Amino acid sequence: MKKILIIEDDPQISSLVQKGLTEENFDTKIANNGLKGLDEFHFWNPDLIILDIMLPGLNGLQVCSKIRETSQIPILMLTALGTPENVALGLDSGADDYLPKPFKFIELNARVRSLLRRIENQSTNNTTLFHFDDLVIDDDRKTVTRNGNSINLTSTEYRLLLLFIMSPRKVFSRMDILEEVWGIDFESGTNVVDVYVNYLRKKLLQFGGSKLIHTVIGMGYVMREEE
C-alpha cells in the first residue's frame, strides 16, 4: 500500500483528500503545518507528498526546497493562486506537478497515480547510460551530469530530459510530451510543458556548454546540437 503524506492546514480540504485517497486504497497521514510535514516526511517515509503552498510555520515552497535537499520523492503542490508566476515558484522549489484550488478529487487522484506510475516505471528500467554532447544520464542511479558537474532535477524534469535524450533530434509536440511525461490530460491551452522545458534548459546551462533543447516554431521541442 502506497503511503501519501498530505501537508494541508485547511481541515476541510485535508479531510476530503484523505477520505478519497483512503477509498482508493492509499495509506495516508495529515500534517497541518510545514514543520510537522517535514517531521512526518523524515519519520514516516511516504511515497508521495501532496503539499499546500500557504502553510503556517514554513510555507509549502520552503518545505519543498528542504525536502529536495535529500530526496526526489514525487511532490504534488496545491495552490489557491494558479497564475503562471505562482506555478513557476512551485516548480522552482522542486515540485513535480501542481493543481490549482478549487480542484476535483478525480483530477487529484489521476495526477497522484500518474506520478506514482512514472516512479515505478523508472525503478523497473534496466541499467542504462545515455550520452548526448557533454551530458550523461545514468538511468540506474537516476543521476544527471554535464561536463562532470551534477545537475539536480525533479522527477518530472528528469522524465522530460530522459524523453529527449532517448530520441535525440526527434521533434516532440507539446501533446506528445504531455502524454509521454505526464500520461494524463491537462486543460486545453496549458503552458505546463513550456514552463518545464524552460526550467530544464536553465538547469542544463548552469555550468555552461551549448544549448541542447531547442524550440521548433509551430511544432514543439527537440534535443540536438546547436547550429
Side-chain angles (χ1 to χ4, degrees), residues 51-64:
L51 178 62
D52 184 21
I53 289 184
M54 300 177 68
L55 292 168
L58 292 176
N59 65 42
L61 300 177
Q62 294 169 313
V63 171
C64 189

Side-chain angles (χ1 to χ4, degrees), residues 149-208:
N149 297 293
S150 179
I151 299 175
N152 186 33
L153 302 180
T154 68
S155 59
T156 300
E157 290 168 343
Y158 179 86
R159 293 194 303 272
L160 178 59
L161 180 58
L162 192 62
L163 175 68
F164 284 124
I165 204 169
M166 289 178 69
S167 300
R169 304 172 193 87
K170 175 181 177 179
V171 177
F172 290 93
S173 70
R174 288 170 177 79
M175 187 57 65
D176 290 335
I177 295 171
L178 281 174
E179 291 177 355
E180 293 292 335
V181 177
W182 281 267
I184 56 176
D185 293 329
F186 275 68
E187 295 179 7
S188 177
T190 181
N191 68 339
V192 65
V193 171
D194 304 288
V195 170
Y196 270 96
V197 168
N198 286 334
Y199 271 92
L200 182 57
R201 280 172 169 166
K202 289 179 181 178
K203 289 188 177 182
L204 294 180
L205 290 171
Q206 63 185 305
F207 299 111

Side-chain angles (χ1 to χ4, degrees), residues 34-78:
L35 290 175
K36 288 182 179 178
L38 281 177
D39 286 341
E40 292 291 357
F41 161 71
H42 289 296
F43 293 108
W44 193 49
N45 192 29
D47 297 291
L48 181 143
I49 295 174
I50 296 174
L51 178 62
D52 184 21
I53 289 184
M54 300 177 68
L55 292 168
L58 292 176
N59 65 42
L61 300 177
Q62 294 169 313
V63 171
C64 189
S65 294
K66 286 185 175 294
I67 289 173
R68 282 292 174 253
E69 292 175 2
T70 59
S71 173
Q72 290 300 311
I73 181 175
I75 297 176
L76 171 59
M77 191 164 279
L78 303 179

